Amino acid sequence: MVSDNTSGTPEVDLSQLSKNESIKDASHYLRGTILEGLADTSTGALAADDTQLTKFHGIYQQDDRDVRSARRKAKQEPAYSFMIRVRVPGGVCTPQQWLDMDRLATTYGNDTLKLTTRQAFQLHGVIKSELKKTIQEINAGLMDTIAACGDVNRNVMCNPNPYQSEVHAEALKLAQDISDHLTPRTRAYHEIWLTDEAGEKVQVTEDPAEVEPIYGKHYLPRKFKIVVAVPPSNDVDIYANDLGYIAILGDDGKIVGYNVTVGGGMGMNHGNEATYPRLAEVLGFCTPEQAVDVAEKVVTVQRDYGDRKERKHARLKYTIDDHGLDWFRDQVEERLGYKLGAERPFTFDSNGDRYGWVEDANGNSHLGLFIQNGRVRDVEGQPTLTGLREIAKIHTGDFRLSANQNLVIANVTPEQKPKIEALLEQYHLKDTYETSGLRRSSMACVALPTCGLSLAESERYLPDLITELEEVIDEAGLRQDDIVIRMTGCPNGCARPYIAEIALVGRAPRKYNLYLGGGFHGQRLSKLYKVSVKSDEIVATLRPILLSYAQERTEGERFGDFVIRKGIVAETHEGRDFHKDFKDEPASV
Ligand code: SRM
Ligand code: SF4
């Protein structure tokens, strides 16, 4: 057990732990030398250790990889800028907050607004000298960036479409309560970003139990992700999260409690079988009143037992696989002082978004809009940024970011609906979801040029690949079939590829590992089908499989189920067998 005195256990030898533990230890609760670095005008970058700490403040230092080698040759420093991730618990923001984000993206960012796979906003391309005022303006709009990244609990997700209004309102409230409860308490964020240049030093104590009663001085071993889901929709991909709550409804249609899930995660490394994606499992059942306490106790067990030596092995999924689910439950129940209930039955039917208009019991309407890869911007013939700005100016309801990088224009009154309809027509916003089922069910992570970890294109490539694949699906008669396809530029899994029916995971420039067989509602991991498929071979590789699916599927059979039934890939039963049963020579179709 590694601890930091929050739970009364002895301090450990930091030299035995990963470097990030020493950085956190020396940071004085996430301050480091960030203030000094911001004042240094000789470079566009921050000190290396501080770039680890700014993540806890929702800020990533990046450089434009499109110009990296040209600048190296010209002996210039990389084109540094910062990505700012703005937390949006449950994905809900007001029209004014949307307008604020739009203004910041066009004033300080790269003229695009990025909706992430965790219902947050990202601004890309903010330079160091404008970081502080950008963060201040975000906070002035009653949003913040603290804990959007870093070794803490991240943005808490919840189903975005409020068509079952009362149930969704309750689930959303839980997401927001958990988010508030697990937000770091250090004053560092306030001091660094929200005060004048001199900074306001108000730290009064060094006692971890007082400054950070839940996290302690060393925060968590690694990032931590929580989600609340209301069946039958799993549009938040609960099984990919460290901790999840599945709402269970009573006979009166009200939430009686939640099945608690633990141990999901996607990240892995090519060629390292000790790393693997894993699906969350049900730990037990809790009442609505217990749910926040359960979150705190799950987090503290991971705080104390997660691996702080090897960051690649530090997520909750490995803690659970190393110790067992029963051990983990015992730990949580001991801290709770009561037992969790037995799992209750539930059914999910899809992890996709619902597009178009849907009306709720109160007569309000909600519109699900497809935003390709979550990138809101203006391009020729598709002025999405401007169109949504015009809608935000008149909208009296709210906006909801989806975990599939899409958007719900929610709570539109009957009076407002015709006006919004007119703007949707004017700015071609409906065209976006009147497209193929494959495109509507697609997701790509950011990757190049901003992501420092990317091995291949993703967001900039998947739309064109889908255009090519649409020829095949038209030939096969599959245009309206929702087949979940996801792409990432590296194996970290930011678009949750390992639960997609088709996934392409970057290995090198223009080369992707092809995975097949994920479950349609996110309930099953996929399996590697072919290694290092070149970009120009992807369509030819998938074509026979898609054609045979069209001809040989059984009634209602999903693509992911079909490839397993036909023996095209073996079924993956759990994270630990993700790398097993890969056939070097894929089955011919
Ligand atoms: Fe992610 C790291 C983008 C959701 C797993 N992710 C990154 C970084 C910050 C790269 C870095 O560390 O330098 C990427 C920034 C790219 C850029 O330029 O914007 C990045 N991740 C994203 C986003 C923006 C993808 C998107 O296109 O929407 C998503 C932001 C979510 C948010 O709002 O918080 C995003 N990342 C995810 C998800 C999906 C999810 O949470 O549901 C996962 C898989 C689930 C999981 O955590 O297991 C994910 N990101 C990772 C990992 C691998 C973690 C692991 O356990 O191994 C990394 C790398 C790391 O942490 O070392 C990573
Ligand atoms: Fe970057 Fe990899 Fe995440 Fe894509 S999956 S955003 S390439 S870290």
Side-chain angles (χ1 to χ4, degrees):
M1 185 201 271
V2 171
S3 186
D4 48 24
N5 272 349
T6 317
S7 56
T9 48
E11 290 272 1
V12 291
D13 178 1
L14 284 165
S15 67
Q16 304 291 307
L17 306 183
S18 78
K19 181 159 187 270
N20 288 58
E21 295 303 317
S22 298
I23 296 174
K24 286 181 267 183
D25 184 78
S27 75
H28 187 42
Y29 296 97
L30 309 180
R31 288 171 178 78
T33 56
I34 298 173
L35 262 179
E36 291 83 337
L38 289 173
D40 179 359
T41 53
S42 69
T43 165
L46 292 170
D49 284 3
D50 289 338
T51 63
Q52 295 304 315
L53 297 174
T54 57
K55 293 181 188 179
F56 291 78
H57 303 246
I59 296 161
Y60 276 81
Q61 181 174 301
Q62 303 184 318
D63 71 283
D64 182 347
R65 294 184 57 185
D66 284 347
V67 299
R68 198 185 264 181
S69 70
R71 288 181 71 97
R72 195 183 300 126
K73 279 188 202 130
K75 299 198 174 10
Q76 292 169 321
E77 83 169 8
Y80 290 119
S81 68
F82 293 82
M83 176 269 274
I84 302 176
R85 193 176 285 163
V86 181
R87 276 198 313 178
V88 191
V92 183
C93 76
T94 63
Q96 185 54 51
Q97 288 171 328
W98 182 277
L99 290 172
D100 291 345
M101 291 309 301
D102 174 319
R103 179 175 49 77
L104 294 172
T106 47
T107 310
Y108 304 119
N110 65 355
D111 294 334
T112 74
L113 203 47
K114 164 79 185 170
L115 315 185
T116 76
T117 55
R118 287 200 74 74
Q119 300 183 295
F121 285 114
Q122 277 186 190
L123 300 173
H124 286 100
V126 179
I127 55 172
K128 191 170 90 173
S129 58
E130 297 187 325
L131 252 186
K132 192 160 168 167
K133 54 183 167 198
T134 311
I135 303 284
Q136 289 187 344
E137 290 184 34
I138 290 167
N139 278 265
L142 302 182
M143 300 179 103
D144 67 39
T145 68
I146 186 167
C149 330
D151 296 344
V152 281
N153 173 52
R154 307 284 186 95
N155 199 40
V156 181
M157 299 209 285
C158 181
N159 305 100
N161 201 321
Y163 60 95
Q164 292 164 282
S165 40
E166 275 182 32
V167 172
H168 273 95
E170 199 179 333
L172 176 65
K173 175 148 187 341
L174 174 61
Q176 289 165 335
D177 288 349
I178 294 173
S179 174
D180 289 347
H181 189 67
L182 295 178
T183 298
R185 313 273 163 90
T186 172
R187 295 279 301 165
Y189 183 82
H190 188 269
E191 282 173 26
I192 295 170
W193 307 106
L194 305 183
T195 56
D196 58 22
E197 293 306 315
E200 177 200 342
K201 299 271 185 266
V202 290
Q203 189 69 35
V204 289
T205 173
E206 270 301 289
D207 180 354
E210 277 185 48
V211 185
E212 290 289 9
I214 298 173
Y215 293 118
K217 189 178 176 186
H218 300 113
Y219 295 85
L220 297 181
R222 203 70 165 81
K223 57 177 72 167
F224 197 89
K225 300 183 172 180
I226 305 181
V227 61
V228 182
V230 184
S233 175
N234 186 25
D235 57 12
V236 283
D237 267 335
I238 194 164
Y239 299 111
N241 284 262
D242 295 276
L243 172 62
Y245 295 83
I246 301 172
I248 304 296
L249 272 50
D251 294 337
D252 57 358
K254 296 207 161 61
I255 297 177
V256 293
Y258 298 89
N259 280 342
V260 179
T261 62
V262 289
M266 293 281 101
M268 62 151 204
N269 292 85
H270 290 311
N272 178 359
E273 295 199 3
T275 64
Y276 49 83
R278 183 186 192 280
L279 296 187
E281 297 166 277
V282 177
L283 189 70
F285 174 86
C286 73
T287 64
E289 297 71 35
Q290 294 168 334
V292 173
D293 193 25
V294 168
E296 179 187 307
K297 301 307 185 281
V298 168
V299 161
T300 63
V301 176
Q302 166 65 357
R303 177 197 70 198
D304 295 341
Y305 289 96
D307 186 345
R308 290 182 188 257
K309 293 186 177 146
E310 172 52 80
R311 282 179 73 76
K312 290 190 190 314
H313 186 256
R315 294 292 294 272
L316 178 64
K317 60 184 176 180
Y318 301 117
T319 313
I320 291 178
D321 271 351
D322 291 351
H323 296 270
L325 189 66
D326 291 340
W327 171 89
F328 190 77
R329 188 182 300 104
D330 288 346
Q331 290 295 324
V332 173
E333 289 178 343
E334 196 180 314
R335 290 170 195 226
L336 286 169
Y338 53 83
K339 298 256 181 230
L340 293 168
E343 173 181 353
R344 306 268 178 106
F346 65 95
T347 313
F348 285 130
D349 61 11
S350 153
N351 64 356
D353 282 345
R354 174 188 272 262
Y355 295 106
W357 288 105
V358 57
E359 197 175 302
D360 68 24
N362 303 328
N364 284 337
S365 298
H366 316 285
L367 176 76
L369 272 184
F370 174 65
I371 307 285
Q372 187 135 273
N373 302 328
R375 188 67 67 172
V376 182
R377 63 176 166 187
D378 286 347
V379 290
E380 181 110 29
Q382 194 75 70
T384 307
L385 188 67
T386 305
L388 289 171
R389 183 185 306 141
E390 294 307 315
I391 289 176
K393 283 181 190 166
I394 63 153
H395 183 32
T396 52
D398 50 51
F399 287 98
R400 298 183 182 222
L401 283 55
S402 91
N404 289 308
Q405 304 171 319
N406 295 314
L407 186 66
V408 183
I409 302 176
N411 291 306
V412 178
T413 60
E415 301 73 50
Q416 285 276 326
K417 199 173 163 189
K419 295 182 200 156
I420 296 211
E421 275 281 357
L423 290 170
L424 293 169
E425 291 292 339
Q426 185 180 345
Y427 293 99
H428 309 292
L429 287 164
K430 274 172 131 179
D431 302 359
T432 58
Y433 64 86
E434 285 165 358
T435 178
S436 68
L438 190 68
R439 194 178 299 273
R440 281 195 309 256
S441 312
S442 69
M443 249 198 329
C445 73
V446 179
L448 293 166
T450 52
C451 179
L453 305 178
S454 179
L455 305 170
E457 293 283 356
S458 182
E459 182 188 326
R460 296 194 295 197
Y461 172 48
L462 186 62
D464 292 342
L465 176 66
I466 290 183
T467 304
E468 288 179 52
L469 283 169
E470 278 170 343
E471 285 184 27
V472 178
I473 59 163
D474 282 346
E475 180 188 346
L478 295 173
R479 177 153 274 266
Q480 288 313 320
D481 285 70
D482 288 316
I483 299 174
V484 180
I485 180 167
R486 296 176 177 176
M487 175 178 274
T488 55
C490 85
N492 281 319
C494 297
R496 301 184 289 271
Y498 312 113
I499 38 182
E501 297 181 289
I502 302 174
L504 292 143
V505 175
R507 224 191 138 87
R510 292 172 294 284
K511 284 188 184 157
Y512 297 83
N513 279 3
L514 173 60
Y515 295 82
L516 298 175
F520 182 71
H521 45 98
Q523 81 285 14
R524 183 180 56 235
L525 290 168
S526 57
K527 182 70 73 191
L528 181 58
Y529 174 69
K530 206 168 177 191
V531 180
S532 285
V533 187
K534 294 194 186 112
S535 300
D536 56 8
E537 291 169 354
I538 295 171
V539 176
T541 308
L542 283 172
R543 187 170 180 278
I545 307 174
L546 286 164
L547 291 179
S548 74
Y549 170 60
Q551 283 155 16
E552 297 167 41
R553 63 179 159 170
T554 55
E555 178 75 28
E557 190 176 29
R558 293 290 171 189
F559 181 80
D561 300 332
F562 171 81
V563 293
I564 290 171
R565 180 172 65 81
K566 296 294 279 184
I568 295 169
V569 288
E571 181 169 357
T572 300
H573 296 281
E574 60 164 319
R576 280 178 290 202
D577 57 68
F578 182 70
H579 300 285
K580 287 185 195 148
D581 299 322
F582 162 63
K583 301 173 193 158
D584 260 334
E585 281 303 314
S588 57
V589 190

